[in-house]
Amino acid sequence: MSKTSSMGRGMMAILAVGARHAQGHDGGTVADVAAHLEKDRSQVSRSLKGALQEGFLARTDNREYRLDWSVLADAQLVTEQRLKTDGLSALEGLAAETNEACFLGVLSGNSTVTIGEQVPASANLVGSWLGRPYPAYCSDAGQALLWDAPDDEVRTLFKTVEFVKHGPNTPSSVDDFLDRLNQARARGYSIVDEEAEPGLYSLAAPVRDFKNEIVAALQIVGPRTRVEPQRESHAMALRSWCEWLEAMVGGPAASPHRP
């Protein structure tokens, strides 16, 4: 039997254990996993023992196999590091392609915080946004970072937030924000048109990690008069660099499309 097929069987066994966790079980015996995979018990047993030896699984006193959560924690740390390093590469590439200021933001409570930026000299933006929070209901990254959030979760997040007007088009309520978020989902990227401040226009899209969870938002920000006419071409560049960054952090993108 080839090494590749053996590795594949091992991954299937690990995913089957993970599926049992998702169903509310603490883990699974060899019989449980074999039934889930509809495979021979002896073959599944070898796969599980191999995953145990490699540190992907642990074993309980009840002879059940469960995921070793330290592996997940290590993967999370790697993702955070890749966001900082490969995130900068994505920002540099996107800024070079659009000639606009580009940012990488994360969610912190009901605010967004910039963790990376690339601002071409021609963008004429003064100052840095690194580490600075901004209200998520009207920030350039807010809609993208709340892309997967159910309506109830968004309402809870903004329950105590006063929707202060920061620009002529700032959302006036949670319902207003949700309406714009739904439009963004249908479009495939968010547009923040003079919501954060007068004259400012931005596009943003979510970046997903190996758990298919949104960990950041990639943004293009600039004057409305300059960015809005280039919206479609900028949106294509944004999607492409989001896919590249997702591939770097183990997200759903199949492979990197950029150098």
Side-chain angles (χ1 to χ4, degrees):
M1 195 67 65
S2 71
K3 183 178 180 180
T4 301
S5 61
S6 177
M7 182 181 298
R9 289 195 301 272
M11 288 303 300
M12 291 300 295
I14 294 169
L15 291 174
V17 173
R20 288 187 59 79
H21 280 295
Q23 293 168 0
H25 302 289
D26 292 333
T29 63
V30 172
D32 293 330
V33 177
H36 180 89
L37 295 174
E38 298 182 347
K39 299 292 184 182
D40 178 72
R41 285 182 58 172
S42 61
Q43 184 185 85
V44 170
S45 178
R46 288 193 296 271
S47 297
L48 289 170
K49 287 179 180 178
L52 179 66
Q53 292 173 353
E54 293 297 328
F56 292 103
L57 297 176
R59 202 163 187 192
T60 70
D61 294 337
N62 296 326
R63 302 178 67 82
E64 291 184 326
Y65 289 90
R66 62 172 177 79
L67 294 177
D68 188 332
W69 300 113
S70 65
V71 174
L72 185 63
D74 290 343
Q76 190 68 50
L77 290 174
V78 170
T79 297
E80 293 174 4
Q81 184 60 37
R82 296 304 291 264
L83 272 178
K84 295 176 182 177
T85 55
D86 292 312
L88 180 58
S89 296
L91 289 170
E92 290 174 346
L94 185 59
E97 194 165 336
T98 62
N99 207 32
E100 296 291 351
C102 297
F103 302 88
L104 190 66
V106 297
L107 191 66
S108 179
N110 53 32
S111 298
T112 65
V113 178
T114 298
I115 63 170
E117 62 184 13
Q118 185 67 26
V119 183
S122 58
N124 296 323
L125 289 184
V126 179
S128 171
W129 275 97
L130 284 175
R132 294 169 59 184
Y134 205 81
Y137 67 84
C138 66
S139 81
D140 302 308
Q143 293 176 39
L145 290 168
L146 292 169
W147 201 268
D148 290 347
D151 287 4
D152 289 346
E153 185 177 322
V154 175
R155 294 182 189 282
T156 299
L157 184 69
F158 293 139
K159 184 176 181 180
T160 61
V161 173
E162 180 182 358
F163 280 65
V164 177
K165 201 172 184 65
H166 290 262
N169 297 326
T170 300
S172 59
S173 65
V174 176
D175 288 332
D176 191 2
F177 176 86
L178 286 171
D179 182 58
R180 300 182 196 204
L181 177 56
N182 287 327
Q183 292 179 44
R185 289 165 175 159
R187 188 188 306 115
Y189 58 92
S190 66
I191 296 175
V192 174
D193 182 4
E194 295 190 295
E195 296 176 24
E197 62 180 81
L200 200 66
Y201 191 96
S202 65
L203 311 178
V207 176
R208 300 175 187 275
D209 68 359
F210 64 97
K211 296 178 292 183
N212 201 31
E213 294 180 356
I214 295 171
V215 290
L218 197 58
Q219 310 141 241
I220 303 171
V221 183
R224 188 183 194 281
T225 54
R226 195 169 66 210
V227 178
E228 197 278 335
Q230 302 296 321
R231 177 172 66 89
E232 292 188 8
S233 62
H234 284 359
M236 290 179 62
L238 179 67
R239 287 196 195 99
S240 182
W241 281 106
C242 275
E243 289 177 1
W244 182 88
L245 184 54
E246 282 187 346
M248 294 297 100
V249 299
S255 60
H257 300 291
R258 296 286 179 170

